[in-house]
Amino acid sequence: MDSSSSSAAALPGTGSVLDLAPVVPVVVIEDAADAVPLARALVAGGLPAIEVTLRTPAALDAIRAIAGAVPDAVVGAGTVLTPGQVADARAAGARFLVSPGWTDVLLESMRASGVPFLPGVSTTSEVVALLERGVREMKFFPAGAAGGTAYLKALAGPLPQARFCPTGGIGPDSAPAYLELPNVACVGGSWMLPADAMAARDWGRVTALARDAAGLGQR
């Protein structure tokens, strides 16, 4: 079973988490009380796939809250680094998993979770190694620092079967160039969650920015 086949079983109406929207918001939540209104704002703007990074003590509670209260959201866990985090994220209700990189131990744990997963890559050898293991969907990270659109364009020729969600250093100005590439299904980013809007809990502004981001996929 690879990441795309597990996606088909887990996500209604789509074969892959990569196909839910052109942009996957990468969210760092400091206060779990913000999770539900934030998720509702993103969904209202057309971004249902939400990656909550496991970088704060509130992250698992935030995933649990979104999973329980926002049925139209597809909440996932990001910055997954260990099998223990895989188990904790699944127990909290995460419907997909994202890692910045991978090892065989982490990969097998994510595969056994039963939900879609996006292991992170930044080199051609890592991509080939994942393809060898039956994984075709990956996170390209850190996208900007690892070669950006030029690197991904170069990979499309010899490795057309690999599909990517580039993340890292991507904003509204650079996202369209990534989305034009044949091997890029979506991008990850946090520009629709500016710090001042998050601090003010200005969910209307988040929805407006999310709507703009969702429109980037109309090509």
Side-chain angles (χ1 to χ4, degrees):
M1 177 173 58
D2 63 23
S3 62
S4 57
S5 64
S6 63
S7 297
L11 302 175
T14 180
S16 168
V17 67
L18 298 185
D19 297 324
L20 289 172
V23 179
V24 176
V26 180
V27 181
V28 178
I29 295 181
E30 301 288 348
D31 185 347
D34 293 336
V36 169
L38 173 58
R40 286 175 175 158
L42 291 170
V43 170
L47 301 180
I50 302 169
E51 176 188 336
V52 177
T53 63
L54 300 183
R55 302 180 192 175
T56 68
L60 290 172
D61 286 337
I63 291 171
R64 191 173 293 110
I66 294 169
V70 192
D72 291 333
V74 178
V75 63
T79 321
V80 176
L81 302 175
T82 67
Q85 288 181 321
V86 170
D88 290 343
R90 284 293 290 122
R95 296 174 63 186
F96 65 94
L97 306 169
V98 184
S99 66
W102 64 277
T103 65
D104 280 322
V105 170
L106 180 59
L107 187 69
E108 289 311 307
S109 179
M110 291 193 294
R111 191 193 301 272
S113 72
V115 297
F117 55 94
L118 297 174
V121 298
S122 60
T123 69
T124 306
S125 293
E126 290 171 320
V127 176
V128 171
L130 284 177
L131 292 172
E132 188 178 76
R133 289 159 173 79
V135 179
R136 300 190 299 272
E137 297 183 343
M138 312 168 195
K139 171 178 178 172
F140 181 61
F141 176 83
T149 56
Y151 195 97
L152 287 169
K153 185 176 181 179
L155 288 181
L159 302 171
Q161 64 271 53
R163 301 177 76 220
F164 298 98
C165 176
T167 304
I170 298 176
D173 294 332
S174 58
Y178 282 95
L179 292 169
E180 289 176 359
L181 298 176
N183 55 350
V184 170
C186 62
V187 300
S190 56
W191 71 85
M192 72 298 301
L193 304 165
D196 56 345
M198 293 290 287
R201 294 176 170 82
D202 187 349
W203 309 127
R205 184 178 172 201
V206 170
T207 293
L209 292 170
R211 188 173 295 116
D212 289 342
L216 295 175
Q218 298 173 3
R219 52 180 177 173

